[in-house]
Amino acid sequence: MGPEELLPLAQEEGKVTVYSFTSRIGKVEAAFEETYPDIDLQGFDISSTEQIARLQAEAQAGVTNADVIYISDTPVVLTELLETGIIAPFVPPRVADRVPQEYQSPLLAQRLSTKVLMYNEEANPDGAPVTNLWQLTTGDWRGRVVMVDPLQRGDYLDLMTEIVLRSDAMAAAYEEQFGKAIELGDAANAGEKFIMDLFANDVILVGSTDDVNVAVGAKGQENPPVGFTSYSDRRDNEEEGWALQVANSVEPAPGIIFPAVLALAAEPNNPAAARLVIDFLMGDESETGGAGLAPFYVAGDYVTRTDIPPHPDAVSLSDFTAWRIAPNETAKIRSEIGDLILTLQ
């Protein structure tokens, strides 16, 4: 059913609950309720890692609280939530012909998000102060690389995992940086060697991406650190007084790009309203997707609808050098990389 058919059924339900991994759900809530004033959207900003644990606990207790799940961490979501029947896929028929098949299955990707190396462009007006990831393991950057603890946020663990999966590229980058072949020592591969050297170089672990953004992006710093955060957080530069910019030219890649997916609870309490919310989040028929997509139509987020033009202020997706993760491949070694990081802290 399309939104016209869903609306009267959703109005009878009167409410809908959304678990969201982004605080932007607050803006979605306001826009949805303005468009559909008879339906109360209750949005909860919960990290993907916490969502997975909560949804599993609720399923074990036989409770369904969320109708819609908006989440990243797809390597875990696919195996722990989709394959176990806790969540279910849904693609709004209205936009199905404008979302590539690779973003419709196994779950609908609304957009592609990132975890990439960012720097302070006010302090570095000529470009990124880092040209090769291995420079982050040298004395110049000791204690001056910031990121969220990968054991607390799954997308950062996906970043570390992708670095290991790209060990051949990391080995080539090492040789390019230091002029000699890499010596692995106790590491199994070049990716693990990088992670071990990064932690040995006093990487700073913080609790949230906002902590990274402030440390890296705050204006007025003479020698700011660099850090891994979301490219799309540049949208807050003016409001927050930041000068964040992506280090897109760093070798072998600045980080990862990954899907942000939408799903239904397996048995939602408000099935029509849940489907209406997902339809809303995929944007309307206006040029940039209207109010439902507005919080995500920003530089650094890449919407999956083919009829929505890329944001004009962003590096185009074809020129963006971040690695695109393959969730099934990530899932194979993700816990192993988590164990490695646990030994390094």
Side-chain angles (χ1 to χ4, degrees):
M1 287 189 286
E4 295 81 6
E5 293 81 13
L6 288 169
L7 181 57
L9 300 174
Q11 287 172 323
E12 288 183 16
E13 293 168 353
K15 63 181 180 180
V16 62
T17 300
V18 180
Y19 285 178
S20 166
F21 77 108
T22 169
S23 60
R24 283 178 270 182
I25 191 61
K27 293 181 178 178
V28 173
E29 181 176 339
F32 182 86
E33 292 180 348
E34 183 174 350
T35 304
Y36 302 113
D38 297 330
I39 306 169
D40 177 21
L41 190 156
Q42 299 177 359
F44 293 88
D45 176 14
I46 308 171
S47 77
S48 295
T49 302
E50 292 172 348
Q51 276 195 60
I52 292 165
R54 181 177 295 194
L55 289 164
Q56 288 176 319
E58 290 174 353
Q60 280 191 323
V63 174
T64 298
N65 288 325
D67 297 298
V68 175
I69 293 86
Y70 185 30
I71 195 168
S72 59
D73 280 15
T74 47
V76 180
V77 169
L78 298 182
T79 56
E80 302 296 327
L81 298 183
L82 182 63
E83 292 180 8
T84 57
I86 294 175
I87 64 174
F90 174 68
V91 178
R94 182 179 59 84
V95 298
D97 63 342
R98 287 167 281 168
V99 178
Q101 190 60 38
E102 65 178 306
Y103 299 131
Q104 293 193 32
S105 178
L107 290 172
L108 175 64
Q110 182 222 27
R111 62 185 168 103
L112 302 179
S113 187
T114 64
K115 282 291 171 286
V116 290
L117 190 69
M118 303 283 282
Y119 70 96
N120 187 312
E121 64 179 349
E122 179 191 56
N124 300 279
D126 296 327
V130 177
T131 58
N132 187 309
L133 285 181
W134 285 99
Q135 292 168 2
L136 305 181
T137 68
T138 67
D140 288 346
W141 291 98
R142 178 176 295 279
R144 296 180 57 227
V145 180
V146 189
M147 68 178 183
V148 177
D149 185 347
L151 300 184
Q152 302 300 320
R153 283 283 299 269
D155 37 14
Y156 283 84
L157 183 54
D158 290 345
L159 169 62
M160 295 293 104
T161 302
E162 191 66 23
I163 287 171
V164 173
L165 290 170
R166 305 282 183 164
S167 282
D168 288 348
M170 291 300 294
Y174 180 96
E175 189 162 348
E176 182 178 336
Q177 175 63 33
F178 298 117
K180 61 181 181 181
I182 191 169
E183 295 180 6
L184 294 178
D186 294 331
N189 50 58
E192 285 193 11
K193 174 67 173 171
F194 173 79
I195 294 170
M196 294 165 71
D197 288 358
L198 183 66
F199 275 76
N201 208 35
D202 297 335
V203 63
I204 299 173
L205 302 180
V206 296
S208 73
T209 54
D210 274 351
D211 294 335
V212 180
N213 296 338
V214 171
V216 174
K219 290 185 175 179
Q221 301 185 77
E222 291 186 3
N223 195 25
V226 296
F228 292 98
T229 183
S230 302
Y231 178 18
S232 61
D233 285 349
R234 279 197 81 229
R235 71 187 185 278
D236 293 329
N237 271 359
E238 183 173 347
E239 181 178 344
E240 299 291 344
W242 298 338
L244 291 169
Q245 183 56 280
V246 63
N248 190 48
S249 60
V250 71
E251 296 289 341
I256 59 172
I257 186 166
F258 55 88
V261 298
L262 289 161
L264 296 171
E267 297 182 3
N269 294 318
N270 304 289
R275 287 169 170 79
L276 192 62
V277 167
I278 293 180
D279 184 278
F280 186 73
L281 279 163
M282 291 304 293
D284 63 19
E285 301 305 315
S286 62
E287 183 178 4
T288 58
L293 205 51
F296 311 101
Y297 189 70
V298 299
D301 277 335
Y302 298 91
V303 299
T304 57
R305 272 180 54 179
T306 55
D307 59 328
I308 303 289
H311 193 283
D313 295 334
V315 175
S316 69
L317 194 55
S318 60
D319 291 331
F320 196 38
T321 57
W323 291 314
R324 192 171 299 193
I325 73 165
N328 291 333
E329 295 302 313
T330 306
K332 291 177 182 176
I333 65 167
R334 194 175 191 263
S335 62
E336 177 184 330
I337 304 308
D339 291 342
L340 169 65
I341 291 171
L342 185 62
T343 67
L344 301 175
Q345 295 189 14

